[in-house]
Amino acid sequence: MTDKTGMVYLIGAGPGDPGLLTIKAKECIESADVVVYDYLASPFLLEYAKKEAQIIYVGKKGGDHTLTQDKINLLLVDKAKQGLSVARLKGGDPFVFGRGGEEAQLLLEHGVRYEVIPGVTSAIAAPAYAGIPVTHRDHTSFVSFITGHENPDKKDSSMQWDVFAKSNATLVFLMGVKNLENIVKNLVANGKAADTPVALVRWGTTSRQQTVTGTLATIVAAVKEANLKSPAIIVVGHVVSLRKELAWFDKKPLFGKRIVITRARAQASGLVSQLTALGAHCIEIPTIKIIPAEDITPLKAAIGRLTDYNWLVFTSVNGVKFFFDTLFAMGKDVRALGHLKFACIGPVTKERLGDYGIISDILPKTYRAESVVEAFSTFDIKGKRVLLPRAKKARTILPEALTQMGAVVDEVIAYETILSDAGKETLITLLEDKEIDAVTFTSSSTVSNFMSLLESRDARVLLKDVTIASIGPITSDTTRTFGLEPGLEADPYTIPGLVDGLLAFYENRQEA
Ligand code: SAH
């Protein structure tokens, strides 16, 4: 530890969509020793933090303050005085109703160095994602950001309702949902036309975004009816009428669909990012954890005698990963593989192998014995030695097919998949509360693990209105053994196939 004072970065974490973080903010989170965040900052951003970084949640949701502002300030000072680099993440922009100014003043008082990294404020971004530009030459020439939080009974209020009401500015209120009725009353009482368009945008820029529109005359009832709560932006002004024409985000094909992802976290990102890009709200409940084989001696021994083999065959990306991890850990590199031919089952495995600079010689059309035989038939594999690094429990199609073709197959266990139950409580609560639209299963073990997370509960009851999205026939058969009929099955049996299947499923539903 140094005796030099550390540094505090007051960082705007953006409004929710993790893609709206600035590059500078990301770099800062990556190098910080301590990351302090509150509930408006997207937890996705924490994934950028170093493994050993301290992550501190300081809450702040309506009145339920996990740490008071004073305590947060002292925490920042304290950590910085220990010589640490502190990333203080704040929703939106730190200096737009973010109390970043107060934190900076306090740091200054304590002689702690700080920098400010502005963020994309929800005041602009939430309307933008609802198709509302806060300025537009045909409608308004200025915009005001106003706190909606001020106590309406405050005697010496600084709220200039007459000015707001008379101007043609777009009025953007933050923290105003609870006060909506007062805001509307004050604007109308000061002469703002009752037919002025108004929109509320909740959880803007996220897949949970919800928008309610109306006029000053109708909005209070509309918001009650929709049961829209905080956090939301209130936009008052003629620009709101542009939403009819310009809405884009909530028009995405999977917008608002809450989809559970059951894959291992390390493998989920492709599926999550594709579904998120289509507007879905992905809830990651990994049912599987992938760990190295308990005993890696056989794998190491096989790598030690690679010259004995003619073929290296992979049935999964994990096989590729753990094989190379072990190869490198043994001080070897890809030059040890120059004499080998390669086969991969599936395009993603082939791609992963490509990451190591190796082009697979074979890619069967499907993972079926006939396809495997067909794919290998252009090579003479009779008497050839094949190394197959695989999972502890794996299907036997491939080694059987190869053996029948006359190859000598050595199967070695490279990794194990085990049950992950970290998301159990969340999963059960969400299912009981009917907060899930679909569950994706990408292998039979995701199905059986998912079922064991439900313990003795009846899956058919819990998942009654939930769409089962299966990656292929084998996985579908497994869901059926639990009494669940898939609503859709991927074709081809790949992640993009699964994403297309979900798209088609919801498109058909809309038409129906
Ligand atoms: N510094 C933040 C604002 C903090 S004040 C910023 O620049 O965005 C908290 C208020 O911000 C909430 O009450 C709500 O009005 C608004 N807000 C923050 N994130 C939001 C989001 N994703 N969607 C809608 N409103 C949001």
Side-chain angles (χ1 to χ4, degrees), residues 331-351:
K332 294 176 186 278
D333 63 27
V334 287
R335 285 172 298 178
L337 310 173
H339 64 290
L340 292 167
K341 289 231 173 299
F342 285 84
C344 286
I345 306 302
V348 184
T349 307
K350 182 180 171 189
E351 210 172 286

Side-chain angles (χ1 to χ4, degrees), residues 317-318 320-321 324 347-357:
V317 289
N318 294 311
V320 176
K321 175 189 163 4
F324 280 97
V348 184
T349 307
K350 182 180 171 189
E351 210 172 286
R352 191 69 214 272
L353 183 64
D355 292 343
Y356 293 94

